[in-house]
Amino acid sequence: MDDSNPLKRAADKISEALRPAAGPEDGVPGKPGPESPQVDEPTSPRGPLPPKPDQTGPEPVSPTGQATRLDQARVAQGGDRLTNAQGTRLPDSDHSLKAGARGPVLLQDHHLREKVMHFDHERIPERVVHARGAAAHGVFRGYGTASGISRAAFLGKDVETPVFVRFSTVLGSRGSADTVRDTRGFATKFYTSEGVFDLVGNNMPVFFIQDAIKFPDVIHAGKPHPDREIPQAQSAHDTFWDFVTLHTEATHHTLWNMSDRGIPRSYRMMEGFGVHTFRLVDAEGGTTLVKFHWKPRLGVHSLVWEEAQLLGGVDPDFHRRDLADAIEAGAYPQWELGIQTFPDTPEQTFEGIDLLDATNLVPEELAPVQPVGLLTLNANPSNYFAETEQVAFHVGHLVPGIDLTDDPLLAGRLFSYLDTQISRLGGPNFPQLPINRPHAQVNDMLRDGMHQTAVHRGVAPYRPNSLDGGCPFLSGADEGGYVETPVRVEAARKVREAPESFADHFSQPRRFWLSMSPVEREHIIGAYTFELGKCYEQAVRERALRVLVTVDAELGAQVAAGLGLPVPDPIGDVPRVSPSPALSQVGGDWPVDGRVVGVVTDGTTGVDDVRAVRQAVLEAGMVPLVIAPTGGRIGSGENALTVQRTYVTARSVEFDAVLVAGTPGTGDDAGGARDAKAAAGRGGTTDPRVGLLLAETYRHGKALGGWAGADAALTAAGVPTDAPGVVLGPDGPTTLRDVITLLGTHRVWSRFEATA
């Protein structure tokens, strides 16, 4: 490919961005703009500021996918003067045109009309599902290991492909919280040399239903009740549990949702799955059935339920902030794309598992996940609306080498996604929006329509034609054409039925339950008890218990005890299955890149040690946040440290570990009337807010460390200094080394006692 190819230029640009360990100047992300502002309003005209180093926009290709050689700044706003939409300069944008200073506003004020008109139409319909999202740009590098079973060019060895990835929750509106218990979307747009390929998946490998005709029903059941529009962004209500207990095929996905997978620690620490079974096609036309997996390099980790609840109030943007901050800090998130492969037999089953049933997974012990490429996210969007909100995915965006199967849920998605884009984005030309433009040339003979931005030439948008010289011409498979696999379809009666294999609704959920560690089972029991406890109708709870005892007697009995209800009989025989250890999140040791470490200090003592710890945290690829009684700086001279959090603003849920330098005394503002967390008031050895921070950190199973008298602060907070995961060292750097080791396991799991 030469330099005029937009795909190559984009890949080169992303590869270059990957080289430096770029990050914010002080190592702490979150700076809102590329330059620090002055106190007074600027008066000297200057042009638009560049984006921050961590930001980029869509590759500036044309609406038809051709190289433009434009710098991204050339498609952003330009000039140093305010204009209207037509480019006419404006002298004032604060006052309407009136008949005198106190007179009526004049109808002829065209600037007022244009400004308010545009504001009135700024919003587009939000997605019905997956409305709450966050996204990033990146690059995918193929390993070449899939080349033998797929002709897709982007899977070739060392082929680099620009990507845009959007993460999301399912049920909530755009204004809902990030940390609700819910399934997460994991959608990846590959801008390949052969066209756009969209892998539109979730962070769970299974779905609630087997047939797309039920999709409106399950979403209607999960959404807020239509009479009161509550509860928002959650499944803890009657209509959801009414549906999933009447449709027991939903049991497997519901169990995943009630597990720790329903409340991820971070998008960076979340698996992704294609959910369906796809078909890969090699250069000779041979086929292999596959399931797609995204494996995060940082491991799969979750919040505990109390953390998720606190974050809903303390920082409802926690997941999107975490993703953006990690990229800005240079801790680029990475996932390996892997595939499970299965013979493409007429039955489309594997080891007795129906591969067309989207409520099923195939245990990795039966079909190992084989890595085929590496995804790295290395740039934040420069405009949320233009990129994250307007990106349009579709499971029918395929490239040669990747084909579909007869999964009935997948078939419905092929219809649904296009309808969604037409409704949200105003017409059929949504592929021409900059974030959706392919990086391969487009000659589609599609014309006109709302928001057409290409200026087509020629007189014959049909084929065959002679008036345009016969252009465009067709391509066979040997010329890169997309040719559907000629799968044999046997003659059959038209029926509204499901195959018999779709009737087993409990073997897979039981395998998932048996695969969980004791602490993960406790979390599942707690989640079911909470969610069913929020249901008003007892009949719904009793029906749910019948489902749970069919999955496992202990699970059903423990939830029944929490609800104060008798244990019912199972619906049928409890299935006999083997566990799959790969489904548990507990037991691994993972990199600590991008972890957030809080360092508590009184602001006066041990500043040199705090400085050394802060530097060591940065060198370990993590983010240090200094916590002091007030904002500003501590220490003096060139080595003074900036305070990122105060006793008022710090809360345990933001940190993966907390270190304490000395015994932080009570802050001057510690009074219940000003800050309820400081209700204990002044006079204690430790500020009550620091005590709350340490107590929550301990309760949530996170690492704690301290030196120079920190044991007094821990004791005052009720933290046993000899407990697992509590490190008291002779100095800051020594303590930090032990804490980093603890961070590799995500939590100090031995702190959680399993009672069931």
Side-chain angles (χ1 to χ4, degrees):
M1 293 187 289
D2 60 32
D3 288 344
S4 65
N5 188 303
L7 174 69
K8 182 178 186 302
R9 289 192 291 116
D12 289 346
K13 184 169 129 186
I14 294 172
S15 297
E16 181 64 29
L18 275 171
R19 291 190 185 107
E25 292 179 7
D26 64 354
V28 177
K31 185 179 176 64
E35 296 180 6
S36 295
Q38 60 193 46
V39 175
D40 297 324
E41 178 184 353
T43 56
S44 299
R46 60 177 298 182
L49 297 180
K52 296 197 302 178
D54 62 287
Q55 295 177 324
T56 189
E59 176 70 12
V61 296
S62 77
T64 56
Q66 301 185 72
T68 64
R69 295 187 175 275
L70 288 176
D71 184 86
Q72 289 188 358
R74 298 289 297 277
V75 294
Q77 70 273 26
D80 60 4
R81 307 295 177 133
L82 178 67
T83 74
N84 64 15
Q86 313 309 314
T88 304
R89 290 188 176 188
L90 299 169
D92 187 296
S93 193
D94 292 331
H95 304 94
S96 300
L97 191 65
K98 311 179 191 73
R102 295 177 61 83
V105 175
L106 301 180
L107 187 63
Q108 73 181 65
D109 191 346
H110 52 87
H111 176 45
L112 168 67
R113 170 73 175 109
E114 180 186 69
K115 187 175 180 180
V116 174
M117 174 274 294
H118 199 281
F119 171 78
D120 288 344
H121 297 274
E122 280 182 0
R123 295 293 174 264
I124 62 175
E126 68 175 35
R127 292 166 168 86
V128 175
V129 288
H130 298 278
R132 173 78 177 179
H137 295 272
V139 64
F140 176 81
R141 178 172 58 84
Y143 292 163
T145 50
S147 297
I149 59 174
S150 176
R151 56 180 290 203
F154 78 97
L155 294 173
K157 183 173 176 55
D158 294 329
V159 174
E160 290 190 335
T161 302
V163 298
F164 189 71
V165 178
R166 187 178 188 271
F167 306 101
S168 56
T169 55
V170 173
L171 292 178
S173 66
R174 274 192 60 187
S176 58
D178 279 349
T179 58
V180 295
R181 183 179 293 281
D182 198 359
T183 306
R184 265 72 182 176
F186 191 134
T188 307
K189 186 175 290 290
F190 297 82
Y191 303 96
T192 87
S193 60
E194 300 175 297
V196 167
F197 169 55
D198 286 346
L199 182 54
V200 196
N202 288 334
N203 73 321
M204 300 179 187
V206 294
F207 201 62
F208 288 108
I209 52 175
Q210 298 164 324
D211 192 309
I213 200 169
K214 297 181 183 179
F215 188 75
D217 301 317
V218 68
I219 297 305
H220 287 165
K223 284 288 190 178
H225 292 196
D227 54 350
R228 301 185 182 185
E229 187 64 11
I230 55 174
Q232 176 61 241
Q234 57 183 298
S235 55
H237 55 89
D238 289 81
T239 57
F240 174 80
W241 288 100
D242 185 43
F243 179 87
V244 299
T245 55
L246 290 171
H247 292 77
T248 52
E249 68 197 69
T251 303
H252 194 193
H253 191 173
T254 304
L255 194 59
W256 276 76
N257 254 12
M258 295 303 107
S259 77
D260 291 342
R261 303 283 187 140
I263 43 174
R265 158 61 180 84
S266 165
Y267 291 136
R268 301 178 292 126
M269 304 166 194
M270 193 176 80
E271 277 186 297
F273 302 91
V275 179
H276 308 285
T277 301
F278 291 83
R279 177 177 278 112
L280 298 188
V281 186
D282 64 25
E284 285 72 43
T287 61
T288 305
L289 300 183
V290 301
K291 285 185 175 289
F292 290 109
H293 296 247
W294 289 113
K295 295 287 189 181
R297 192 175 71 87
L298 298 179
V300 186
H301 308 300
S302 297
L303 300 167
V304 295
W305 180 229
E306 186 185 28
E307 284 182 298
Q309 292 173 302
L310 289 170
L311 281 163
V314 174
D315 187 3
D317 304 307
F318 180 70
H319 282 151
R320 60 171 60 182
R321 190 188 315 280
D322 173 88
L323 177 67
D325 283 357
I327 293 172
E328 184 181 356
Y332 300 139
Q334 291 185 315
W335 291 259
E336 276 196 316
L337 179 63
I339 54 174
Q340 290 178 295
T341 62
F342 320 102
D344 190 357
T345 62
E347 297 78 18
Q348 296 179 91
T349 63
F350 181 78
E351 298 288 338
I353 299 170
D354 194 324
L355 297 176
L356 300 186
D357 182 350
T359 68
N360 285 343
L361 60 80
V362 178
E364 294 183 27
E365 291 77 13
L366 296 179
V369 176
Q370 306 167 50
V372 299
L374 181 68
L375 166 68
T376 303
L377 299 183
N378 56 18
N380 288 310
S382 57
N383 184 279
Y384 182 92
F385 178 81
E387 299 166 75
T388 308
E389 187 64 14
Q390 289 197 130
V391 66
F393 296 97
H394 175 36
V395 289
H397 290 164
L398 301 165
V399 292
I402 301 177
D403 205 344
L404 306 170
T405 59
D406 293 330
D407 179 335
L409 179 63
L410 177 58
R413 293 179 73 191
L414 289 166
F415 274 80
S416 177
Y417 278 68
L418 291 179
D419 279 345
T420 291
Q421 313 309 348
I422 292 171
S423 175
R424 291 187 62 247
L425 301 172
N429 289 311
F430 62 86
Q432 295 183 20
L433 292 167
I435 193 62
N436 296 321
R437 291 176 182 174
H439 294 186
Q441 291 189 353
V442 175
N443 194 343
D444 54 18
M445 294 194 302
L446 305 176
R447 293 293 186 268
D448 307 337
M450 295 279 286
H451 311 301
Q452 175 63 257
T453 56
V455 183
H456 294 103
R457 297 177 179 176
V459 297
Y462 55 84
R463 71 162 319 279
N465 72 74
S466 62
L467 297 180
D468 282 345
C471 184
F473 297 87
L474 300 177
S475 302
D478 58 336
E479 299 172 300
Y482 186 92
V483 179
E484 285 78 6
T485 306
V487 177
R488 181 178 297 277
V489 179
E490 296 184 9
R493 296 177 298 114
K494 290 191 293 185
V495 295
R496 291 190 183 273
E497 297 176 0
E500 185 177 344
S501 58
F502 278 39
D504 180 4
H505 298 166
F506 293 103
S507 296
Q508 292 255 334
R510 178 154 177 78
R511 175 183 282 114
F512 183 79
W513 169 259
L514 294 177
S515 304
M516 296 295 99
S517 66
V519 65
E520 289 172 306
R521 292 188 189 185
E522 291 283 351
H523 292 167
I524 291 171
I525 291 168
Y528 272 108
T529 305
F530 175 87
E531 297 250 335
L532 293 172
K534 300 285 277 188
C535 292
Y536 183 89
E537 298 293 348
Q538 182 165 321
V540 173
R541 295 190 218 124
E542 291 179 356
R543 193 188 310 133
L545 289 174
R546 289 205 313 238
V547 172
L548 294 182
V549 296
T550 310
V551 173
D552 185 83
E554 179 72 3
L555 169 62
Q558 291 291 330
V559 176
L563 297 175
L565 295 173
V567 180
D569 293 329
I571 296 172
D573 295 334
V574 176
R576 292 180 176 272
V577 294
S578 299
S580 171
L583 297 175
S584 174
Q585 295 181 206
V586 176
D589 197 2
W590 307 97
V592 298
D593 303 33
R595 294 285 187 168
V596 180
V597 178
V599 186
V600 183
T601 173
D602 64 7
T604 57
T605 58
V607 174
D608 289 341
D609 227 10
V610 172
R611 183 182 301 108
V613 166
R614 183 184 181 282
Q615 184 59 36
V617 171
L618 287 170
E619 291 173 356
M622 300 186 294
V623 176
L625 298 180
V626 176
I627 307 165
T630 65
R633 294 170 71 81
I634 60 175
S636 59
E638 295 181 357
N639 293 323
L641 295 175
T642 300
V643 175
Q644 283 83 34
R645 300 290 184 272
T646 66
Y647 293 173
V648 172
T649 61
R651 198 67 187 265
S652 64
V653 287
E654 185 176 10
F655 308 108
D656 295 292
V658 173
L659 304 177
V660 186
T663 307
T666 306
D668 293 339
D669 63 342
R674 185 179 299 180
D675 184 355
K677 298 193 300 298
R682 301 183 182 88
T685 57
T686 303
D687 191 292
R689 294 160 298 185
V690 174
L692 178 64
L693 171 71
L694 300 179
E696 287 180 349
T697 303
Y698 178 78
R699 189 163 67 246
H700 298 154
K702 299 176 182 178
L704 283 159
W707 63 94
D711 53 331
L714 293 166
T715 300
V719 176
T721 56
D722 60 348
V726 179
V727 180
L728 292 174
D731 55 58
T734 302
T735 304
L736 176 64
R737 281 196 292 272
D738 290 338
V739 167
I740 290 175
T741 300
L742 293 167
L743 279 172
T745 60
H746 181 57
R747 294 190 193 276
V748 183
W749 294 108
S750 58
R751 254 187 237 157
F752 296 99
E753 181 182 357
T755 58

